[in-house]
Amino acid sequence: MDLDVFVSAHAAEWDRLDALVRRQRRLTGPEVDELVTLYQRTATHLSLIQSSAPDPQLTGRLTQLVARARSAVTGTRRASWRDVTRFLTYGFPAAVYRSRRWWIPVSLLSVALAVVIGWWVGTHPEVQSSIAAPSALRDMTRPGGEYETYYSSHPATSFAAQVWTNNAQAAAMCLVLGAFLGIPVIWILFQNMLNVGVGLGLMSSAGRLDTFLGLLLPHGLLELTAVFVAAGTGLRLGWTLIDPGPRTRRAAMAEEGRSALGMAIGLALVLLVSGAIEGFVTPSGLPTWARITIGIAAELAFLAYVYVLGGRAAREGETGDLDASERSASVPTAA
């Protein structure tokens, strides 16, 4: 593209659009039609310049012009409870459903890794001695030891809030850091599975595996699923950087990044539920079978939410991204 020729050919249209946007009085019907047409043309011009002949100064000017024109065309829009309802019933579950080919394998591999680490720690005394002194290990694994009192060491409300904050941060980091080719996500996931595996191994070697699982499963099923979804989505985001498919790399990262941001909000709500279970159910005096049943019910409810609501929304074309009217204009790409 010859940028000078392109600017000369379309500068008058940009100036006219700028004049219409700045006009103080109410536009007439023909002027509104002209505004919409020029806005669409200028948005296309901006995309062409960005992809073919990027010029920082011109790009900045047209970006501002397109943004102001878009505000003039669409008006100011405020989020409403209807938007929240749509996000919870369509956008978020559809995004999780679409990512299932990533987070399901991540879940299976992660659980397998935790089991292998647990077996390794539980069957090798020398590994246990490298973790802590024998007396410290006994204090952790004995009845009433640290593994049991951990869940009741603080008031339930503050403990649930602390757990929720920590887990939400971990999930958000998986989603955000996925843009770095997914490498930080793998490390975060490994650290989580290492902690679970060490607990499995130590409590198993002490003959108290049933107690450990009775404390882990009520909240851990939903909590770990949320972490796996975040990790799988983060890895998918990293792979998009490598292979954007038919989209441009910039458009693909923008689309998947917006979807990941929405998932961070949704997963924070899911982790709020698991945090409440961990704070109020796990350390409660309920029988082990009752606590585990609550955890299984929460997990099944989330999976049904994803596969029923999310699957239906995804089949209707929902991706978890912003509505088309709220996205930046872009030039179509060939498949």
Side-chain angles (χ1 to χ4, degrees):
M1 175 192 293
D2 189 321
L3 188 59
D4 292 333
V5 173
F6 189 83
V7 171
S8 298
H10 299 290
E13 293 178 313
W14 303 338
D15 292 339
R16 176 58 177 167
L17 177 61
D18 185 60
L20 291 173
V21 170
R22 293 178 182 275
R23 185 160 296 178
Q24 298 297 321
R25 65 170 176 81
R26 187 181 183 88
L27 299 179
T28 65
E31 286 175 334
V32 171
D33 292 339
E34 185 183 10
L35 172 63
V36 173
T37 300
L38 290 175
Y39 160 63
Q40 294 173 335
R41 289 180 183 174
T42 305
T44 302
H45 297 162
L46 174 59
S47 295
L48 287 171
I49 292 172
Q50 289 175 327
S51 60
S52 302
D55 176 86
Q57 184 175 358
L58 181 58
T59 299
R61 176 197 169 191
L62 292 184
T63 299
Q64 294 180 2
L65 179 57
V66 168
R68 289 190 288 112
R70 179 184 175 194
S71 297
V73 170
T74 62
T76 303
R77 185 178 183 277
R78 295 181 179 180
S80 64
W81 284 110
R82 184 177 180 181
D83 296 317
V84 175
T85 301
R86 179 173 177 80
F87 169 74
L88 293 177
T89 56
Y90 286 92
F92 172 58
V96 178
Y97 181 83
R98 288 179 63 242
S99 298
R100 68 192 185 284
R101 291 184 177 85
W102 285 89
W103 61 262
I104 290 178
V106 165
S107 303
L108 297 176
L109 291 174
S110 298
V111 171
L113 176 62
V115 170
V116 170
I117 293 175
W119 168 82
W120 184 53
V121 171
T123 57
H124 292 75
E126 67 276 11
V127 176
Q128 299 173 28
S129 62
S130 68
I131 296 173
S135 59
L137 294 179
R138 285 194 296 271
D139 289 338
M140 286 191 289
T141 58
R142 65 178 175 80
E146 294 178 16
Y147 271 116
E148 292 184 40
T149 58
Y150 167 76
Y151 297 101
S152 56
S153 57
H154 299 285
T157 302
S158 61
F159 181 72
Q162 179 183 352
V163 167
W164 172 63
T165 301
N166 292 338
N167 290 333
Q169 287 177 345
M173 288 176 63
C174 285
L175 291 167
V176 173
L177 296 179
F180 296 93
L181 300 180
I183 296 174
V185 177
I186 296 175
W187 176 249
I188 294 172
L189 197 59
F190 174 76
Q191 290 294 316
N192 276 272
M193 292 304 99
L194 179 62
N195 290 334
V196 173
V198 169
L200 282 171
L202 293 179
M203 290 293 277
S204 176
S205 66
R208 308 195 67 232
L209 180 60
D210 56 339
T211 300
F212 181 77
L213 293 177
L215 292 170
L216 175 66
L217 293 180
H219 64 275
L221 289 172
L222 186 59
E223 176 185 301
L224 289 175
T225 298
V227 173
F228 295 150
V229 169
T233 304
L235 292 174
R236 177 182 178 178
L237 185 62
W239 183 253
T240 299
L241 186 62
I242 299 172
D243 181 15
R247 302 166 293 182
T248 64
R249 183 167 282 103
R250 178 173 180 173
M253 289 297 293
E255 179 180 340
E256 299 299 336
R258 289 190 300 263
S259 179
L261 179 60
M263 289 185 68
I265 298 172
L267 289 176
L269 297 177
V270 175
L271 289 168
L272 180 62
V273 175
S274 71
I277 295 175
E278 188 169 359
F280 294 94
V281 176
T282 299
S284 70
L286 292 172
T288 300
W289 67 265
R291 289 185 279 112
I292 293 178
T293 299
I294 292 174
I296 293 175
E299 173 73 359
L300 292 177
F302 176 70
L303 293 177
Y305 167 71
V306 170
Y307 276 86
V308 176
L309 290 182
R312 181 175 60 192
R315 287 188 290 272
E316 292 175 357
E318 179 66 47
T319 64
D321 194 4
L322 296 174
D323 290 338
S325 60
E326 298 176 344
R327 304 174 203 159
S328 299
S330 59
V331 177
T333 55

